[in-house]
Amino acid sequence: MADVKTSNFIRNIIDEDLRAGRHTEGIHTRFPPEPNGYLHVGHAKSICLNFSVAEDYGGLCNLRFDDTNPTKEDVEYVDSIQEDIRWLGFSWGDRRFYASDYFEQMYNYAVTLIEKGLAYVDDLSADEIRAHRGTLTEPGVESPYRSRSVEENLDLFRRMRAGEFPDGARVLRAKIDMASPNLVMRDTVIYRIAHVPHHRTGDAWCIYPMYDFAHPISDAIEGITHSLCTLEFEEHRPFYDWLLEALGFPAGERPRQIEFARLNLSGAITSKRKLRQLVEEGHVRGWDDPRMPTISGMRRRGYPSAAVRAFCEEIGVAKSNSTVDNAMLEHSVRDELNRNAPRIMAVLRPLKIVLTNYPEGETEYLLAENSPTHGGQRYVPFARELYIDREDFMEDAPKKFFRLKPGGEVRLKHAYIIKCEEVIKNAAGEITELRCTYDPETRSGGAAANRKVKGTIQWVAAEYALTAEVRLYESLLRDIPEGEEVPENFIDALNPHSLVVLTDAKVEPSVRLMAAGAHYQFLRVGYFVVDPDTTPDHIVFNRVVGLKDSWSKVK
């Protein structure tokens, strides 16, 4: 049985099933994505849940593509989904399946329902079917085609498969109860006509099963024991059970559908339709844009997979929907990077300083620590001309400004104390350079190494610094009031400052030729990752998260 520290209501159900002697052959789950877009952060929770449950019970988890709607599906999405699952650290082994694997079996099961008088071909249009369905307080109205004979329904369904009818002309519906209080049970549609090539079966089919029909049958064929779904499928569970019973699957061997709350992340768009709109209309650079809440976007942003898994574990599994603060996800990311990202010095908005009393043409190499967690040291070059960040100098500084100012002193990290002696400006009055002096006795081991000043700032040597492009990301949407969903007109709520590109940042030479995906903490700035756009001649960094952690303060 599962470890008590990972207990939740789903694991409690599985534990009870095992105690009752069910599923002695092992626990079997599945992750069934539709290949109609890239996966987002909500899917990450489902991936982690399904694969982790199987792992914890020594069972299996299938990857099954719900490819029943060829009008929106593409091989690109199939490939991206597999990459996302692998990145999260899970494997389906040799158990990659497609709903399309079972199209012939599903067709035969539909024929079985017709032969049992439990399904019929309906000529009503989609709008007419909706009008006949009724409301939560009023029963539906039976279709005038509901009383067709078994023979007529079989003939029409075979002709639907043969391609005799145009799209929308007919559907196959389950014959259940038009007065049911559950609208899903009011003769739900189980097959529709679509003369569209399928990415796997080509033109072999022009009728396709609906999700409500394909999903339980696929589960049963694959021997799934626990079919874990999000809460919107709770009202579909009676049809799930009705269908498997109607088709004669043995009661003790049928999969059990269990619903859990989906992940709603504050300020994040988790609608594939809306995400697709962002991509197709060019509001973002693609599905993997680091501002996107897609798994590929989080990966490119620099979120470690371990942090995403830790986040999914931290939020747990609940029975009711709620919204999780995005700061909680950032906390998990920051916690992981704080332990594992090496420290370097970088200057995002460089301001040149000249140490007038430092020997011209001389370079020394100073020791700097790589990581307080993993240890290690590196040498950083130090010379007469340096860069500091413009934000670390203020000409008219307030009393409690402890960085560099005219006549003021500050310590350069891993190096010396310097003092600003002169401010150089151009004709427009803009500061272009600072003339400073350094105290050679304040280096580690020097006579005044322990002399105290209130500020310490990062720097890079001008001659050796690498110029980098740095992309600073903020939320894709402007602030949405707590508890409110992303508005339908969300394009109007896009944040115009969600991406700021700095093209002249300066970084230590130690990052030269680092591969995409390498993480760093820029001292006093934040956590950054090398972007795939990087070339040997042009390094690009994405800001992953800042140093400040708001979530830990409210936990």
Side-chain angles (χ1 to χ4, degrees):
M1 295 184 183
D3 193 313
V4 66
K5 67 184 178 183
T6 61
S7 179
N8 56 55
F9 79 95
I10 291 177
R11 295 173 190 269
N12 292 340
I13 290 173
I14 295 174
D15 287 343
E16 180 56 36
D17 285 344
L18 294 175
R19 279 192 291 268
R22 293 186 286 271
H23 313 306
T24 55
E25 73 286 357
I27 299 302
H28 205 152
T29 62
R30 84 290 170 269
F31 175 63
E34 298 175 69
N36 60 359
Y38 281 58
L39 301 183
H40 54 66
V41 63
H43 295 108
K45 175 181 177 179
S46 183
I47 291 170
C48 291
L49 176 60
N50 277 285
F51 280 92
S52 294
V53 163
E55 286 181 1
D56 291 350
Y57 285 91
L60 301 173
C61 182
N62 293 356
L63 168 61
R64 182 177 69 243
F65 291 98
D66 172 37
D67 56 345
T68 57
N69 186 2
T71 61
K72 297 182 178 180
E73 296 163 0
D74 196 281
V75 175
E76 174 189 355
Y77 304 136
V78 172
D79 294 340
S80 72
I81 288 168
Q82 293 178 92
E83 183 179 3
D84 289 344
I85 297 172
R86 291 191 189 101
W87 177 73
L88 283 170
F90 299 107
S91 172
W92 54 88
D94 60 353
R95 297 176 309 284
R96 182 186 64 188
F97 303 109
Y98 298 81
S100 54
D101 292 337
Y102 314 126
F103 276 176
E104 190 67 40
Q105 289 169 274
M106 291 178 190
Y107 176 83
N108 291 331
Y109 281 128
V111 169
T112 297
L113 290 181
I114 294 172
E115 291 173 339
K116 289 185 172 184
L118 297 176
Y120 62 97
V121 174
D122 196 352
D123 295 3
L124 293 180
S125 68
D127 289 340
E128 290 171 328
I129 290 174
R130 276 191 292 271
H132 279 67
R133 183 159 287 144
T135 66
L136 292 174
T137 57
E138 297 179 355
V141 176
E142 292 186 358
S143 167
Y145 305 100
R146 197 174 193 265
S147 59
R148 277 174 164 156
S149 67
V150 168
E151 291 72 23
E152 184 180 6
N153 283 317
L154 287 172
D155 175 65
L156 288 171
F157 190 50
R158 291 179 182 126
R159 291 164 63 190
M160 285 171 60
R161 176 177 181 171
E164 288 190 27
F165 310 118
D167 294 359
R170 289 184 164 91
V171 296
L172 184 68
R173 298 176 68 179
K175 185 186 290 189
I176 311 175
D177 181 4
M178 290 301 293
S180 172
N182 184 334
L183 271 64
V184 175
M185 299 296 283
R186 295 181 185 178
D187 291 10
T188 189
V189 174
I190 57 177
Y191 263 90
R192 79 286 200 192
I193 301 172
H195 292 268
V196 179
H198 189 278
H199 71 98
R200 293 189 70 241
T201 61
D203 295 321
W205 293 88
C206 62
I207 58 171
Y208 294 96
M210 304 297 287
Y211 178 84
D212 277 347
F213 183 76
H215 184 224
I217 290 176
S218 299
D219 281 351
I221 290 173
E222 294 175 13
I224 302 304
T225 59
H226 297 85
S227 182
L228 310 182
C229 305
T230 46
L231 280 176
E232 61 264 33
F233 293 101
E234 185 173 21
E235 65 179 5
H236 297 250
R237 185 175 1 124
F239 179 77
Y240 185 104
D241 295 336
W242 176 90
L243 179 63
L244 295 182
E245 181 178 0
L247 292 174
F249 286 95
E253 300 176 15
R254 297 175 203 153
R256 178 175 183 176
Q257 179 173 303
I258 307 171
E259 303 85 20
F260 63 93
R262 63 177 296 169
L263 170 58
N264 296 308
L265 196 64
S266 64
I269 300 169
T270 53
S271 159
K272 279 187 181 178
R273 176 179 59 82
K274 292 177 180 177
L275 293 174
R276 184 193 297 270
Q277 183 179 347
L278 287 171
V279 173
E280 293 179 348
E281 294 182 0
H283 299 289
V284 293
R285 296 182 177 183
W287 287 96
D288 69 341
D289 188 301
R291 293 167 290 178
M292 293 276 275
T294 55
I295 296 177
S296 58
M298 292 190 293
R299 180 166 61 248
R300 185 161 187 172
R301 175 78 172 259
Y303 285 13
S305 58
V308 177
R309 292 197 306 272
F311 166 69
C312 291
E313 180 69 24
E314 178 72 17
I315 61 176
V317 182
K319 294 183 179 181
S320 57
N321 284 322
S322 61
T323 299
V324 178
D325 194 326
N326 185 62
M328 188 175 179
L329 172 57
E330 291 190 348
H331 168 73
S332 294
V333 172
R334 192 176 290 106
D335 187 55
E336 176 70 19
L337 292 178
N338 183 51
R339 290 193 302 270
N340 296 308
R343 276 56 168 164
I344 65 168
M345 292 190 289
V347 173
L348 300 192
R349 297 172 176 85
L351 173 61
K352 188 176 183 179
I353 67 173
V354 177
L355 302 178
T356 57
N357 63 334
Y358 194 90
E360 291 189 34
E362 183 172 317
T363 299
E364 60 183 312
Y365 290 86
L366 308 179
L367 273 175
E369 66 175 9
N370 290 333
S371 167
T373 303
H374 301 290
Q377 292 180 312
R378 70 190 185 284
Y379 285 100
V380 291
F382 185 88
R384 176 183 173 91
E385 295 184 359
L386 310 171
Y387 290 115
I388 66 169
D389 200 293
R390 286 186 177 274
E391 294 182 355
D392 286 331
F393 175 79
M394 187 175 291
E395 189 171 19
D396 299 311
K399 184 177 180 180
K400 292 189 176 182
F401 184 80
F402 299 127
R403 287 164 283 170
L404 197 58
K405 55 190 174 184
E409 290 186 315
V410 70
R411 178 176 288 278
L412 299 179
K413 182 71 173 174
H414 307 304
Y416 303 94
I417 292 175
I418 64 171
K419 181 179 181 180
C420 180
E421 306 286 0
E422 184 181 1
V423 179
I424 308 299
K425 299 181 181 180
N426 61 18
E430 300 167 331
I431 298 173
T432 58
E433 185 179 298
L434 302 178
R435 300 287 174 86
C436 302
T437 56
Y438 85 112
D439 182 348
E441 299 300 322
T442 55
R443 177 181 171 180
S444 177
N450 295 324
R451 183 158 73 84
K452 302 295 184 184
V453 290
K454 291 188 175 180
T456 300
I457 63 174
Q458 77 276 17
W459 54 276
V460 290
E463 181 182 353
Y464 302 95
L466 301 180
T467 298
E469 177 182 325
V470 174
R471 299 168 183 173
L472 306 177
Y473 296 99
E474 300 293 344
S475 174
L476 191 58
L477 297 174
R478 292 194 293 267
D479 289 341
I480 296 175
E482 185 176 352
E484 290 191 15
E485 295 184 356
V486 175
E488 192 61 32
N489 60 339
F490 70 101
I491 297 298
D492 297 335
L494 293 179
N495 177 10
H497 307 296
S498 61
L499 171 60
V500 174
V501 180
L502 306 177
T503 59
D504 193 37
K506 307 297 182 182
V507 298
E508 284 185 29
S510 61
V511 303
R512 188 186 304 274
L513 301 180
M514 293 304 296
H519 290 94
Y520 296 96
Q521 184 195 101
F522 289 2
L523 289 177
R524 301 179 59 243
V525 179
Y527 295 97
F528 291 77
V529 67
V530 179
D531 185 81
D533 285 345
T534 292
T535 67
D537 300 319
H538 179 67
I539 188 167
V540 181
F541 284 101
N542 296 324
R543 180 171 63 187
V544 186
V545 288
L547 294 176
K548 185 179 179 181
D549 192 342
S550 59
W551 175 252
S552 61
K553 296 179 181 179
V554 298
K555 282 207 301 182

